[in-house]
Amino acid sequence: MAIWGKKKNKETDPETREKKKKVGLIRRLWQKFRNIDWKNPVNRWKLLFVSLVGCIVVFGGGYGVLSLTNSPSFCSSCHEMAPEYSTFTASAHSNISCVQCHIKPGFTNMITHKMKSMKEVYYHVTGIPEQIVQTEEEAVSNENCLQCHSKNRLVTASGDLKVNHKGHIEKDIPCITCHAGVVHAKIAARGINTEEVRGHWTKENAEKLMEQKYLRPNMGSCIDCHEKVNNGEEPWKEVAYNVPPNPEEVQNKLDEQTKKASGEAAATETKEGEAVADHDEKTQSIILQGIGKQKKDVKISMECKTCHKQTEIPKTHQAAEWSGNHGDTAVQQLDKCVNCHQDSKWAREIPKEDIMSILKMKEQETKASKYTPNMTVVKDQARTNKFCSACHSDRPKGHGDSNQWLTTHAANAKTNDQKAECFVCHDRDKPKVDSDNVKAPTDVYCQYCHRTGFKDDKTN
């Protein structure tokens, strides 16, 4: 009998049995590696060769993966990227890769972006997003643009616009504040890259959908930013000002506003009416500043000639009494008038569009004949276009004093053509609140005084 107890049985002892268990693969390999005679030069050369092959496989494979994911063809492999890829191939930037714009220069930025992009793979597998929208974190930076473009530019490529690019960049104004649509034609803001219309994005359709007004800097962006600067603001410092709004966030805000507005329909309608009136007044003020009829002491002049070198007043506009006699020209050449006098070009907001309507409109434009003079079209344009209503809302000089004009204006409204000119600003009958017709610039309507009717009605 042993002093310290019974002698352990090696066959039945648990610790001994555990040691006899088969060693794991990794441990066995490590043991073999430790048992190698590293003093032998042959073994050291074998290790060097294996390490070299391993590095080639790892780094070469990694580089191949990076090169593949950096190519535009990789982006096009996903169905949800069809609108973005189609617009890219039809743009002036089709000769460069996507990552040259969407990833900041530098290897670290590249790897960081690849890690963040794993969520896009997750969304592709679990559920394709309804719409691809650039987030604030992924906004294209000036660093990307300056890889190819010089900031020492004072005029645009066309030579018309005077724009101090260096001055803008030194103020930390992002390039995309003005050039947001240069590649993708603002398809996200227009709402034409949603899941339901992605099948219509072919190369041929992309060329039709990429209109110049969305590719070039939007004058409304310039006007909006300059006006805010004149009010002491620096809007570009908010990243959200430079990227298209996320439609889901916009819809959530609208839903919240709808819930808050429930039970307060009358108050909401009043506020909306006031907002529309304020917007119209603001737009008209900017237009009057632009054409030089309303001057203000501001940091940045809002006159057209401040930025546009080639803007000139046509000779016809310089004729005497042009303001009061341009109606006939407007009827005959409305298509030419709206090339300059179109307030929608001055708006920063991009309206939502329907892709099928755009394609049909483009087909009609190719088949369309020359503009046919139409007084009804001119009247509606004069009422909706802020360029027209900015002046039409004021009483014309030719109307004279009210007490004299009321008794003598009949001589100016004898023929149908003369009456048509009157109806540009005035409604014949009392306008209905729920009417679909465009509201007249003035609240004065003919029936207000002619309550017993008109001579033409009685003779007929």
Side-chain angles (χ1 to χ4, degrees):
M1 186 176 186
I3 299 175
W4 302 108
K6 296 181 180 179
K7 187 177 181 180
K8 292 183 179 180
N9 189 335
K10 292 183 180 180
E11 298 297 330
T12 58
D13 184 51
E15 293 182 6
T16 307
R17 289 201 310 270
E18 188 68 25
K19 290 179 181 179
K20 280 191 172 185
K21 282 185 179 180
K22 193 173 182 180
V23 184
L25 175 63
I26 297 176
R27 184 174 293 181
R28 278 185 289 143
L29 291 174
W30 175 245
Q31 288 177 352
K32 287 183 178 181
F33 182 80
R34 291 183 62 184
N35 293 332
I36 294 175
D37 181 13
W38 294 114
K39 293 181 179 181
N40 187 341
V42 175
N43 292 335
R44 291 201 295 269
W45 276 108
K46 288 181 180 180
L47 176 63
L48 180 61
F49 177 75
V50 171
S51 301
L52 181 61
V53 172
C55 289
I56 292 174
V57 171
V58 172
F59 290 106
Y63 178 78
V65 171
L66 285 177
S67 299
L68 175 64
T69 57
N70 286 345
S71 65
S73 58
F74 177 79
C75 299
S76 66
S77 63
C78 294
H79 164 70
E80 61 268 28
M81 295 300 293
E84 286 72 19
Y85 179 73
S86 299
T87 49
F88 161 75
T89 54
S91 73
H93 285 64
S94 58
N95 291 328
I96 63 174
S97 63
C98 305
V99 297
Q100 285 180 266
C101 289
H102 290 286
I103 301 179
K104 288 184 178 181
F107 182 76
T108 303
N109 292 327
M110 170 97 50
I111 298 300
T112 303
H113 184 273
K114 296 301 180 185
M115 297 301 292
K116 290 181 179 179
S117 297
M118 292 302 295
K119 68 178 184 297
E120 296 173 10
V121 178
Y122 171 79
Y123 292 141
H124 177 75
V125 175
T126 59
I128 297 174
E130 174 63 22
Q131 188 178 13
I132 303 296
V133 180
Q134 191 175 36
T135 63
E136 297 178 15
E137 296 178 354
E138 298 171 342
V140 177
S141 69
N142 287 1
E143 293 179 61
N144 296 90
C145 302
L146 293 175
Q147 291 178 103
C148 301
H149 299 280
S150 171
K151 64 181 180 181
N152 297 317
R153 179 185 287 182
L154 297 177
V155 294
T156 58
S158 65
D160 174 39
L161 274 173
K162 295 178 289 185
V163 181
N164 184 356
H165 285 73
K166 185 176 181 180
H168 283 69
I169 293 172
E170 289 178 350
K171 287 283 187 181
D172 294 328
I173 299 176
C175 300
I176 57 171
T177 304
C178 298
H179 299 279
V182 68
V183 175
H184 300 297
K186 301 179 181 178
I187 55 176
R190 294 160 66 189
I192 56 175
N193 66 333
T194 56
E195 171 62 21
E196 58 184 4
V197 300
R198 283 172 183 150
H200 297 287
W201 278 96
T202 61
K203 185 177 180 179
E204 293 75 16
N205 286 344
E207 294 176 353
K208 297 177 183 178
L209 295 164
M210 292 184 69
E211 301 177 65
Q212 288 297 321
K213 62 181 179 181
Y214 297 122
L215 290 169
R216 295 176 179 175
N218 180 11
M219 190 166 65
S221 299
C222 303
I223 291 173
D224 184 76
C225 188
H226 287 188
E227 189 192 16
K228 284 180 166 59
V229 170
N230 288 333
N231 292 329
E233 302 177 42
E234 294 181 334
W236 60 86
K237 291 192 173 181
E238 293 291 334
V239 184
Y241 185 80
N242 305 309
V243 297
N246 189 317
E248 294 183 0
E249 294 178 0
V250 172
Q251 188 59 46
N252 291 335
K253 289 181 181 179
L254 289 175
D255 293 340
E256 291 178 4
Q257 292 174 0
T258 303
K259 291 179 181 179
K260 291 180 180 179
S262 58
E264 303 176 2
T268 304
E269 186 175 346
T270 303
K271 290 180 180 179
E272 288 179 354
E274 292 175 354
V276 171
D278 291 342
H279 178 268
D280 291 345
E281 183 179 354
K282 174 183 172 182
T283 304
Q284 290 184 357
S285 173
I286 291 173
I287 289 173
L288 291 173
Q289 291 182 62
I291 60 180
K293 286 192 173 183
Q294 181 175 305
K295 297 183 182 292
K296 292 185 177 181
D297 184 16
V298 293
K299 296 179 181 178
I300 303 175
S301 172
M302 301 289 281
E303 285 193 62
C304 302
K305 63 182 181 182
T306 303
C307 298
H308 290 275
K309 296 172 62 180
Q310 299 175 5
T311 299
E312 296 180 359
I313 300 175
K315 292 181 179 179
T316 55
H317 292 44
Q318 300 176 25
E321 301 299 327
W322 168 258
S323 296
N325 300 325
H326 66 276
D328 291 338
T329 304
V331 175
Q332 299 299 323
Q333 303 179 16
L334 181 65
D335 53 336
K336 294 182 180 179
C337 297
V338 295
N339 283 338
C340 294
H341 299 280
Q342 182 57 270
D343 59 285
S344 62
K345 295 180 180 179
W346 292 41
R348 181 176 186 268
E349 293 77 15
I350 304 297
K352 296 293 181 182
E353 296 179 337
D354 175 57
I355 192 170
M356 299 308 298
S357 299
I358 300 172
L359 294 175
K360 288 180 181 178
M361 184 178 66
K362 290 296 181 182
E363 291 178 4
Q364 292 174 358
E365 285 180 0
T366 56
K367 301 176 183 178
S369 59
K370 189 177 179 181
Y371 165 74
T372 303
N374 189 319
M375 190 62 201
T376 303
V377 175
V378 173
K379 182 191 73 173
D380 292 342
Q381 181 69 217
R383 292 186 175 190
T384 57
N385 194 322
K386 296 298 182 295
F387 269 100
C388 305
S389 58
C391 295
H392 285 205
S393 57
D394 296 332
R395 184 181 177 83
K397 293 180 180 179
H399 283 37
D401 297 330
S402 295
N403 58 347
Q404 295 176 353
W405 176 254
L406 287 174
T407 57
T408 60
H409 71 276
N412 297 307
K414 288 183 177 181
T415 66
N416 290 332
D417 290 339
Q418 288 176 327
K419 290 175 182 177
E421 293 180 9
C422 299
F423 295 145
V424 170
C425 295
H426 300 277
D427 281 324
R428 182 180 185 275
D429 303 323
K430 183 178 180 179
K432 298 179 181 179
V433 178
D434 58 347
S435 174
D436 295 330
N437 296 325
V438 182
K439 186 181 182 302
T442 175
D443 294 329
V444 178
Y445 57 96
C446 302
Q447 198 182 48
Y448 183 81
C449 294
H450 295 270
R451 299 184 182 183
T452 59
F454 303 89
K455 289 183 180 181
D456 293 345
D457 297 338
K458 293 177 182 178
T459 56
N460 295 333

